[in-house]
Every structure is written in C-alpha cells, then in structure tokens.
Amino acid sequence: MNVVAVGVGIPEDHLTRSMRRSFTKFLKACTCTHCKEPLVKPTTLQCGHCFCFDCAFDYTGQHGTCPECNLPSTMAGSLKTNPQMTQIMDTLNNIKATLVNATPFWWRSEQDEEVTADMLEGIKVKEQGEEGVGGG
C-alpha cells in the first residue's frame, strides 16, 4: 500500500524527499489564502494578491478590501482571471496527475537498481562473513 504525502496527494514512493519539498512549496504558493484550496480561476487583485475568482468576487464584494492585506479593492464587478496563473495551475494539475499515476520510484534508472542490488548483496556477503569469523 502506498503512503500518500500529506497535503500533496501523491504516493510517497512517487517522489524523492527533495521533490516532495519542492512540490509542497509550489503547491502552497498556488493555494488561495482565503479558501485554503488550490487556485480555481486565479484572479489577481490591484494589490497583487491572487485568489480563486469566487473567493475574490465574494470577499471584495462584501468588504471592499483584499482578504490578505485589507487594502481597498473595489473591483468585484470587474474582476478578471489571471491568464498566466491559470496556465500555471493547469500545468500544476497535469504534473500532479502524472505523478499520482507514475510508477513507484520512477526517477531511478535500471542501472541505479542494479547498483543498489549489488550493494545490498555485498552488505549481506560481508555480514555473513563477519558472523562466521567470530561465531562459534
């Protein structure tokens, strides 16, 4: 059974620790700070903060400010999605889907697996030799 990396939704054996850290940071940067979910129809306010379109529309419509920094933002009726952030989110979702469906330890080559197997075999041989030396 594969353990799923918390907050990432990708089985642990589909990512190295370094990849998981980087992917988690990237996912966090692409998360709406209002609803705490990955951005849906990313929308950037005048102050530069980015939210889901619905979050930005609802919050600015009710409060007239940015949910993050509280600077005035009276553009609820004229909000537009950010095309660059939309493309980033589409790419992020494609990468995530690819990783979820990837073969465990996909980043290892067959040569790496052979080297690892040879190293493990060498350790077993060495341990067996040490048992025979002092054992009785």
Side-chain angles (χ1 to χ4, degrees), residues 27-72:
L27 187 61
K28 185 177 179 183
C30 295
T31 298
C32 176
T33 57
H34 187 67
C35 70
K36 310 295 186 223
E37 296 292 328
L39 292 164
V40 176
K41 296 194 296 186
T43 303
T44 305
L45 300 181
Q46 295 154 321
C47 59
H49 289 112
C50 196
F51 303 93
C52 297
F53 180 87
D54 290 342
C55 292
F57 184 85
D58 293 344
Y59 194 90
T60 58
Q62 290 177 13
H63 303 279
T65 63
C66 168
E68 184 75 20
C69 66
N70 292 316
L71 285 175

Side-chain angles (χ1 to χ4, degrees), residues 76-95:
S78 62
L79 290 174
K80 291 184 171 62
T81 57
N82 180 324
Q84 290 86 6
M85 281 302 297
T86 299
Q87 188 174 14
I88 289 169
M89 291 309 298
D90 289 346
T91 303
L92 176 65
N93 290 328
N94 289 337
I95 291 168

